[in-house]
Amino acid sequence: MKNMISENNNPEIDENDDELYEHHRFVADKGQQPLRVDKFLMNYIEKATRNKIQTAAKEGNIHVNEVSVKSNYKVKPGDVVQVMFEHPPYEFLLTPENIPLNIVHEDDAVLVVNKPAGMVVHPGHGNYSGTLINALVYHFDNLPQNSSERPGLVHRIDKDTSGLLVIAKTEQAMTKLSKQFFDKSSEREYVAIVWGNVEEDEGTIEGNIGRHPKNRLQNTVYLGEDEDKGKPAVTHFKVIERLGYVTLVSCKLETGRTHQIRVHMKHIGHTLFNDERYGGDKILKGTTFTKYKQFVENCFKVLPRQALHAKTLGFKHPVTGEWMSFDSPVPEDMQECIEKWRNYAKNQKEFID
């Protein structure tokens, strides 16, 4: 989406700025301490370097409150920080790519695909090709756009999460499916391997989710007086199998926040196995024996991603109203990891929580 900035709105804006496109926008928190804008942006933009940000500032591409600033500008509470360039964001330059899709179901209104781990759902910073949307726009014409102008996309799952997604092929399907997700009438079940022995057989995790205050690439749970910093999130979990130092669980989403299962399970002390971003790629439970360390490292090699799979998906068909339910087998990498833990647990005389 092009963000038109007119010099008439602010006389300090260069006359060429009305041809700039907004690539990033951040609003400084109320508690923001004075901080150089280049350091501020380093906390927000994944894979950004200080040198690139400073170069962008020299070229007049860093704006605060619609005014171009230098890299040493001190960001204050409430400041609106924008990164502007002369070309549209790459995520909107959707190049069709002939990438095979694992199609579980297709009709005139909807498409259900089984996304492999490692595939990004939509183009974004650092991932401008090879995404699910690049594949969709190659295989299908005239897909409707969602509110973020992403064709066909009703919901999404993380890059390293495998499993089921429904795609809208018509405007009517987009509207009705999006409403189901908003109204929480769709059903989504995930399977995960988490660190530790989950003592309760089942339970519900409630806690508002928002950006982590120190690590902007993570989300966290906000409770009590801070809950307004996040958005309401509810996850229902159920133990499938206890495997000693890890547990196989089923998670059903009532809401759909970014990283919801990953954040909620960490919040109750059960970080997802091999979830690098949230610290699950370290040994969080178990012994200090070298053989155990080697065993866990072998499990990491077998499953080089967070242990999360979107297994089932249910929704009402947007045209017929028929309830549709789909199931995706747990992929081979997760199955192999589960089997390793199952064998390990059988050979242990006692388990340590």
Side-chain angles (χ1 to χ4, degrees):
M1 179 181 296
K2 189 170 183 178
N3 184 14
M4 303 297 289
I5 299 181
S6 170
E7 60 177 325
N8 295 327
N9 295 334
N10 191 323
E12 297 181 64
I13 300 292
D14 291 338
E15 62 178 345
N16 291 329
D17 281 354
D18 64 349
E19 294 301 318
L20 292 180
Y21 294 80
E22 180 183 275
H23 283 232
H24 300 282
R25 172 190 286 257
F26 307 105
V27 180
D29 295 333
K30 294 179 181 178
Q32 176 69 50
Q33 296 297 313
L35 182 67
R36 284 175 58 113
V37 70
D38 53 356
K39 290 185 177 180
F40 176 86
L41 289 171
M42 284 284 290
N43 291 333
Y44 281 83
I45 304 176
E46 187 175 5
K47 298 179 182 178
T49 65
R50 187 98 174 264
N51 184 54
K52 286 183 179 178
I53 292 173
Q54 290 177 340
T55 299
K58 287 179 183 178
E59 295 175 351
N61 295 329
I62 306 299
H63 292 210
V64 177
N65 303 326
E66 297 193 340
V67 177
S68 176
V69 299
K70 296 180 179 179
S71 57
N72 64 354
Y73 173 89
K74 297 289 182 69
V75 177
K76 302 180 293 297
D79 277 351
V80 178
V81 181
Q82 296 169 288
V83 181
M84 315 287 291
F85 291 106
E86 293 181 357
H87 59 82
Y90 288 112
E91 63 184 282
F92 298 121
L93 302 178
L94 298 177
T95 305
E97 297 179 32
N98 187 8
I99 303 169
L101 291 172
N102 182 355
I103 298 175
V104 177
H105 169 83
E106 181 183 0
D107 58 42
D108 291 340
V110 300
L111 179 76
V112 177
V113 298
N114 192 13
K115 186 191 83 67
M119 174 183 270
V120 176
V121 171
H122 57 75
H125 185 76
N127 297 288
Y128 302 127
S129 65
T131 74
L132 177 64
I133 284 188
N134 291 116
L136 289 172
V137 296
Y138 176 90
H139 293 287
F140 301 95
D141 295 327
N142 303 317
L143 289 174
Q145 292 190 334
N146 65 13
S147 59
S148 299
E149 300 188 15
R150 290 169 178 150
L153 213 60
V154 178
H155 61 126
R156 69 177 186 84
I157 55 179
D158 297 328
K159 172 186 176 182
D160 289 325
T161 299
S162 53
L164 297 171
L165 286 162
V166 60
I167 307 299
K169 295 176 68 177
T170 67
E171 293 287 353
Q172 180 190 28
M174 176 65 75
T175 300
K176 292 195 172 182
L177 288 171
S178 297
K179 188 175 188 303
Q180 288 184 53
F181 277 77
F182 180 80
D183 292 341
K184 307 172 188 175
S185 59
S186 61
E187 290 186 359
R188 288 167 288 169
E189 179 188 8
Y190 292 69
V191 172
I193 306 170
V194 301
W195 278 107
N197 177 31
V198 180
E199 293 184 1
E200 294 180 332
D201 289 337
E202 56 185 277
T204 296
I205 309 166
E206 296 186 60
N208 289 13
I209 290 178
R211 287 274 194 190
H212 194 288
K214 294 182 179 178
N215 186 340
R216 309 303 294 188
L217 302 181
Q218 289 186 5
N219 282 345
T220 191
V221 171
Y222 288 100
L223 299 172
E225 294 180 356
D226 292 330
E227 66 179 11
D228 61 345
K229 295 180 180 179
K231 295 181 179 179
V234 181
T235 304
H236 306 284
F237 70 87
K238 188 174 184 178
V239 170
I240 299 173
E241 186 175 359
R242 303 179 193 280
L243 301 168
Y245 298 124
V246 300
T247 306
L248 184 64
V249 297
S250 161
C251 294
K252 288 189 175 182
L253 294 182
E254 192 171 306
T255 53
R257 307 304 175 201
T258 300
H259 300 173
Q260 179 170 320
I261 292 173
R262 300 163 70 183
V263 173
H264 267 174
M265 294 309 295
K266 179 175 183 176
H267 177 66
I268 64 169
H270 297 288
T271 304
L272 264 63
F273 185 78
N274 209 12
D275 188 346
E276 179 181 4
R277 180 162 294 190
Y278 289 92
D281 59 338
K282 301 174 181 63
I283 296 176
L284 300 183
K285 294 289 181 179
T287 73
T288 57
F289 298 129
T290 302
K291 283 188 176 180
Y292 176 73
K293 181 180 178 182
Q294 291 174 343
F295 165 75
V296 174
E297 287 176 350
N298 285 335
C299 288
F300 286 157
K301 290 178 183 177
V302 165
L303 183 64
R305 63 178 179 101
Q306 69 256 15
L308 186 61
H309 176 64
K311 191 175 191 305
T312 67
L313 177 65
F315 55 87
K316 279 187 178 181
H317 193 278
V319 177
T320 67
E322 174 191 1
W323 180 257
M324 307 189 75
S325 185
F326 302 93
D327 183 89
S328 168
V330 174
E332 188 175 334
D333 57 355
M334 270 188 74
Q335 286 281 20
E336 190 173 345
C337 185
I338 292 167
E339 195 58 38
K340 279 183 174 294
W341 277 105
R342 190 175 284 141
N343 291 333
Y344 182 88
K346 285 179 182 177
N347 294 328
Q348 299 309 298
K349 292 182 180 179
E350 61 178 351
F351 298 145
I352 303 175
D353 293 348

